């Protein structure tokens, strides 16, 4: 790829693609407002946070304003991995525990510690003795019975003499394939962890900044207020900007031990601020809700015409459609064929979930109804070619 603009990317042969997959350019590829903010601040002053500057302080205060008043501290990082690592360190320090609960199909980062906790892909690191993976029940297809329930996970940590430190969870269940748990599932899980003196870390690295259309943060729909929220990918629209947002008492207990050279620089703050400006001025959270609802309706009507399509999943501009097996080929093969056909017709989507059979859509938040129409027509054309004929 050589060029990006709004929801479009162009490759070196001049072929344009509708980007329905990439949630990093949150307010659109190369948004002029963000590019200008970056350029201006880079030409004015850019230092690390050993020197204080107005930009980082003003941005941190503005960002904290999007959270419940208890979440009043922002620690800047450069990647989602760093934010989650810091969140785990904060939780361990505050609770004196080491136990971590994650979901049975999750990814939270690429450090040694987080790679070991990864359950969505194979990593060389062993799943740690102090961690437990729980199933996210799915009202649309049934829970995966081989994994633990929340109560079992906590009981198992207790039996092993491991004190819980935290639940680390993405409330949009993005890597998990967007399962739909019963109402109250996450609130109940969070309460159980808190009853065992653990903290709740909401990983909003993929789904934050209004993507789910119902609120700025995807955990809000579950009625929980986390102790720590981690942010990343969309935060800087492609500039490496991330954060752990948390309660003051957690930072106080942790002490001033965290330093991250490139995090919280003037340029990072200027970029983050510009992203928030665009989200607000273009009413992108509302738009994610409206366009997401339209996409859902259009995809649902497509499922009525094509038996190989299953449930439509997700919220706002974080949505997916399940591909069912057709008796002749596994669902993951059909999903892979469809991703390729879409790419050939100039539309980029991904694939996720334990079976690799859910087409995953997370376009820039400027995605419009006309783009949904392009996606749905291309998907229908791809299905009409027949599956899995080749
Ligand atoms: C839910 C979630 N958390 C954390 C991360 C890690 O973020 P980064 O790649 O910026 O370290 C990812 C990356 O894919 C993610 O999907």
């Amino acid at each position: 790829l050589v060029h990006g603009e709004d929801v479009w990317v162009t490759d070196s042969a001049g072929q344009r693609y509708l980007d329905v997959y990439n949630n990093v350019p949150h307010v659109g590829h190369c948004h002029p407002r963000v590019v200008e903010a970056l350029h201006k601040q880079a030409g004015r002053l850019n230092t690390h946070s050993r020197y204080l500057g107005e930009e980082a302080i003003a941005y941190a205060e503005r960002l904290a304003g999007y959270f419940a008043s208890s979440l009043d501290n922002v620690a800047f990082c450069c990647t989602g991995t760093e934010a989650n690592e810091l969140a785990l360190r904060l939780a361990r320090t505050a609770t004196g525990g080491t136990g971590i609960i994650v979901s049975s199909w999750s990814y939270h980062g690429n450090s040694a510690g987080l790679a070991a906790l990864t359950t969505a892909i194979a990593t060389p690191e062993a799943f740690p003795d102090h961690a437990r993976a729980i199933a996210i029940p799915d009202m649309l297809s049934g829970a995966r019975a081989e994994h633990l329930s929340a109560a079992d996970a906590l009981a198992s940590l207790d039996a092993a003499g491991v004190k819980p430190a935290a639940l680390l969870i993405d409330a949009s269940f993005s890597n998990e394939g967007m399962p739909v748990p019963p109402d109250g599932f996450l609130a109940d899980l969070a309460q159980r962890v808190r009853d065992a003196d653990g903290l709740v870390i909401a990983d909003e690295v993929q789904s934050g900044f209004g993507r789910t259309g119902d609120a700025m943060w995807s955990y809000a729909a579950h009625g929980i207020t986390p102790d720590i929220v981690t942010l990343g990918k969309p935060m800087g629209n492609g500039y490496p900007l991330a954060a752990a947002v948390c309660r003051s008492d957690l930072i106080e207990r942790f002490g001033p031990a965290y330093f991250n050279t490139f995090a919280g620089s003037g340029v990072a703050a200027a970029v983050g601020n510009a992203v928030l400006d665009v989200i607000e001025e273009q009413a992108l959270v509302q738009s994610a809700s409206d366009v997401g609802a339209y996409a859902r309706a259009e995809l649902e009507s497509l499922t009525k015409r094509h038996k190989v399509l299953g449930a439509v999943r997700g919220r706002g501009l974080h949505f997916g459609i399940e591909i069912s097996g057709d008796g002749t080929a596994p669902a993951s093969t059909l999903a892979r064929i469809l991703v390729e056909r879409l790419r050939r017709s100039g539309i980029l989507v991904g694939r996720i979930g334990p079976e690799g059979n859910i087409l995953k859509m997370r376009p820039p938040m400027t995605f419009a109804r006309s783009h949904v129409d392009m996606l749905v027509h291309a998907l229908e054309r791809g299905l009409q070619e027949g599956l899995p004929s080749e």
Side-chain angles (χ1 to χ4, degrees), residues 8 32 42 52 99 107 118 125 151 154 195 198 220 258 268 283 285 287 290 299 309 312 334:
W8 298 98
L52 277 186
Y107 177 83
T118 298
E125 293 81 3
L154 285 160
D195 289 347
Y258 189 72
V285 184
S287 177
D290 297 344
L299 287 173
L309 297 181
V312 179
L334 303 185

Side-chain angles (χ1 to χ4, degrees), residues 78-82 84 107-110 170 175 203 205-206 233:
C78 302
T79 66
T81 299
E82 290 178 354
N84 281 328
Y107 177 83
H108 297 284
N110 59 26
D170 167 0
N175 292 313
D203 179 338
V205 168
Q206 276 208 44
K233 296 178 193 280

